[in-house]
Amino acid sequence: MSTRSQNAMSFSEEVQRHSVHTLVFRSLKRTHDMFLSCQGMLPPIDEEAERIKKLVKARDCYGLVFDKVERNKINMKKSQPNHPKSDSLDIYKDNHLPLAITDNPEKVNKNTETSMVLSSPSTQNIAAANRLINHIMPKPKWHPPWKLYRVISGHLGWVRCVTVEPGNEWFATGAADRVIKIWDLASGKLKLSLTGHVSTVRGLQVSPRHPYLFSCGEDRQVKCWDLEHNKVVRHYHGHLSAVYSLALHPTIDVLLTAGRDSTARVWDMRTKANVHTLTGHTNTVASVVAHEFEPQVLTGSHDCTIRLWDLAAGKTRATLTNHKKSVRSLVLHPKVYMFASASPDNIKQWTCPDGKFIQNLTGHNAIVNCMAVNSDGVLMSGANNGSMYAWDWRTGYNFQRMQAPVQPGSMDSEAGVFAMAFDNSGTRLITAEADKTIKLYREDDTATEESHPINWKPDIIRRRKY
């Protein structure tokens, strides 16, 4: 027994001499030596699995491109006339066109040489390029130029907002003199003055379904005016700072306001309840517009972003970050399912409902404060320096540039366009300006396509950028 116990003790002593690390390393080494001979034997490549992997990867990375290529092929087939093979062969026989491979090159006469020159690849490429340019860059529609026909003065401060009544009989303006004035659209005469704001009036809207005028201002107040009694009937309290923009939903009794507290607020028109507070912007919200279809609310902010909102949930649907500078104005096209945004870097066009970028309207190198678009596809933009540009909506062609004349007695530095709106016929443009005046523009009836031709050239390089 003693010898056995001695042997057991010596055996345990031998085992304990090695650390756990050494034992694990030895185990790994034995495993490595065991499988060393199989390391060079890779499993056979499954061609079907490789093909499926490549297809999945290509579809994942380039799926949208594949779809576009297929659609382009289908469109090309539709646009090209389908000639029967027999007819095409007869044409070749009649015209004696040369074949690519002939038994005797000397048989090709001078006529065939000229035909080869006419149908050479270079001329075919030029013709194809011309067709491509015409397809990519459609020619802009001709619009008559706009001219100033009336200047209305009456405000004692900068005129900051303008709105046209749905019946197209009068329009309202708000200014830094804290007064809302209502003017007759046909004659330009003052009909009414509404006082109640204690600071600059920044936004106005007339309800199409109720006899109400809504206003907002830098005094943080949002008011509802009863136009039958010409007095305030409702206040909407909640904004923490100046309210810069106001919009009415076209189909439901909802009011939208936005301002310097970096929020947009949704109000129940009747109960004055703050239904939603749309948070997410990190700077002043300069513009808010409402739409009948999705997205029902759009906001543009000084944080350089545009947000599309889900009105029911009160949450952001999409955030557009293409602008590099503050977005001061948004406008919805009255017929096309699109909108435009204005910033000092560019005017950009987008499609609804997802905010897909369409094109840049470059050239208005100023701080663009406001925009307006009519049903004929004329987009007007007004800037801080008094410049006004007229654009063709579809092509982005700038067909007119104007400088708003300042009122006699004003300084040139007071040339600034703060707000603009088309009347409901789209034939008159009303602008609110820094020289304390309201200016009315209309199309020049004497202008023709010959007297004011379209100075346009297809610019395929510009289109490639975007």
Side-chain angles (χ1 to χ4, degrees), residues 118-131:
L118 290 172
S119 62
S120 64
S122 60
T123 51
Q124 289 174 0
N125 291 340
I126 292 167
N130 289 332
R131 285 198 300 274

Side-chain angles (χ1 to χ4, degrees), residues 326-432:
S326 58
V327 182
R328 290 174 178 246
S329 179
L330 296 174
V331 66
L332 291 162
H333 195 286
K335 287 185 175 179
V336 185
Y337 198 29
M338 292 173 67
F339 68 96
S341 57
S343 174
D345 57 356
N346 263 322
I347 296 170
K348 295 181 186 289
Q349 288 179 334
W350 318 79
T351 59
C352 298
D354 300 320
K356 181 184 175 186
F357 174 71
I358 297 299
Q359 65 178 346
N360 279 322
L361 277 59
T362 55
H364 203 166
N365 300 318
I367 298 172
V368 181
N369 285 324
C370 54
M371 291 188 299
V373 61
N374 66 7
S375 54
D376 290 333
V378 175
L379 174 68
M380 301 291 292
S381 57
N384 255 2
N385 59 3
S387 60
M388 292 170 56
Y389 281 31
W391 312 81
D392 177 51
W393 178 276
R394 181 163 168 261
T395 59
Y397 169 66
N398 175 215
F399 67 87
Q400 188 182 6
R401 299 183 179 188
M402 295 180 283
Q403 181 67 34
V406 295
Q407 187 181 27
S410 299
M411 296 180 292
D412 289 339
S413 59
E414 285 190 302
V417 184
F418 288 126
M420 57 172 52
F422 281 103
D423 73 339
N424 294 324
S425 67
T427 57
R428 286 173 288 194
L429 177 71
I430 307 162
T431 61

